[in-house]
Amino acid sequence: MYSYEDMCADADRLASKGANRFVVGYSLFGRELVGLFKGSTDGPQLLVQGAMHAREWATAELCVRLFESYDGAAGLWCVPMANPDGAMLAQYGIDSAPTKSDAEYLLSLNGGDDFSLWKANGRGVDLNVNFPALWGTGASNVFAPAPSDYVGEHPLSEPCSRTLALFTLKVQPSATVSIHARGGVIYGGFGCYDPEKELAERVAEECGYPLLRAEGSAGGYKDWFVATTARLGLTVEVGDGDTPYPQLQGELDDILARTRNVLPTLSAHYVAQ
Ligand SMILES: [Zn+2]
């Protein structure tokens, strides 16, 4: 398993090789949201982010590897594990909860002690429906704490989503890439917005994944970024959709081969403008 500690160790290793490692903010349970940066802060910037859904923790390793292999001219900001509390819960179960009352609450939400399919954060909010983009109107939204799909009490109610949104506004990336792990497809656009469609199509073609609209999606990070900035936001869903989440880690070489040009392609486009 690629744990939170593995991600932190990778971040330290990359920092020793010249990357900038920093703390974006803190999770609900006080874990560092680790950020990485390489390149120049002058000119276009890109932001890649992973593991917002707990059970998709393998995408944190993919983010680190995409960051490591990137050699584009645009500055690259990376938040490999946007939901460390949820990822720890999916990997290590209830022992990862910081207090007994957290543990009892999470067990009651989950209805058992198998957290391997948990998507939410440390208090049953699904971070990828917690952003202010037609918040609470998504087709799968639920309105009480749960292992997945709960929108939260209000938009950006959670430390991790709030931190990521504020950080994104500070960085002002030309484009964002969110790595998820369900289905071998890329989602772009939101509502009436469809910025940089040709570029999105080129990226999708290079990956061999179809570019689709996520019908019924609302409150996602990508949704929010597109609606707020009218810039390109992509959700890259890696894997074939059938692979159990822990086994996804064994497919990372293949997935990396498919996706390693996403960030360089975006960089080349924005640097040439
Ligand atoms: Zn996901």
Side-chain angles (χ1 to χ4, degrees):
M1 285 195 295
Y2 189 79
S3 68
Y4 175 70
E5 282 76 17
D6 291 332
M7 184 275 294
C8 290
D10 266 344
D12 292 341
R13 178 177 60 79
L14 291 166
S16 74
K17 287 164 64 179
N20 181 5
R21 178 216 198 273
F22 56 96
V23 177
V24 185
Y26 293 88
S27 73
L28 185 69
F29 292 160
R31 296 186 178 104
E32 287 182 352
L33 276 188
V34 174
L36 290 163
F37 176 76
K38 74 200 287 189
S40 169
T41 52
D42 292 332
Q45 306 293 303
L46 301 172
L47 194 157
V48 63
Q49 155 269 308
M52 186 177 288
H53 282 144
R55 66 194 186 188
E56 298 166 36
W57 47 262
T59 59
E61 182 175 2
L62 180 62
C63 273
V64 165
R65 290 173 69 175
L66 288 170
F67 179 86
E68 194 166 7
S69 71
Y70 174 79
D71 61 357
L76 178 62
W77 303 84
C78 176
V79 182
M81 194 175 275
N83 179 14
D85 301 340
M88 291 281 285
L89 196 54
Q91 291 175 333
Y92 297 104
I94 205 60
D95 290 343
S96 68
T99 69
K100 195 157 173 273
S101 66
D102 288 318
E104 281 167 4
Y105 182 63
L106 287 164
L107 282 168
S108 74
L109 288 185
N110 193 46
D113 60 5
D114 178 0
F115 284 85
S116 61
L117 293 180
W118 187 266
K119 275 175 91 176
N121 73 348
R123 60 179 167 202
V125 178
D126 188 326
L127 297 175
N128 211 34
V129 290
N130 189 237
F131 288 82
L134 298 179
W135 176 85
T137 67
S140 310
N141 287 173
V142 303
F143 298 94
S148 69
D149 301 314
Y150 171 46
V151 296
E153 281 191 9
H154 53 81
L156 303 183
S157 58
E158 303 310 297
C160 288
S161 49
R162 194 162 58 239
T163 297
L164 191 61
L166 291 172
F167 175 67
T168 304
L169 293 176
K170 199 164 114 187
V171 167
Q172 286 291 318
S174 298
T176 62
V177 176
S178 302
I179 310 286
H180 286 256
R182 213 54 181 158
V185 60
I186 295 184
Y187 295 112
F190 178 68
C192 55
Y193 297 94
D194 216 341
E196 306 272 21
K197 184 130 196 265
E198 260 177 49
L199 177 60
E201 274 167 355
R202 188 144 38 92
V203 167
E205 202 172 306
E206 284 174 1
C207 294
Y209 294 147
L211 176 69
L212 300 176
R213 292 290 288 242
E215 299 304 335
S217 170
Y221 172 76
K222 176 270 288 173
D223 302 337
W224 166 78
F225 180 74
V226 172
T228 304
T229 66
R231 295 178 187 171
L232 179 64
L234 295 175
T235 298
V236 179
E237 299 271 2
V238 302
D240 61 12
D242 295 322
T243 309
Y245 294 102
Q247 274 74 35
L248 200 64
Q249 205 179 9
E251 296 180 5
L252 281 190
D253 286 342
D254 290 341
I255 291 171
L256 186 70
R258 273 175 173 270
T259 54
R260 70 182 316 145
N261 284 331
V262 170
L263 295 165
T265 297
L266 295 177
S267 170
H269 174 84
Y270 290 105
V271 168
Q273 275 186 337

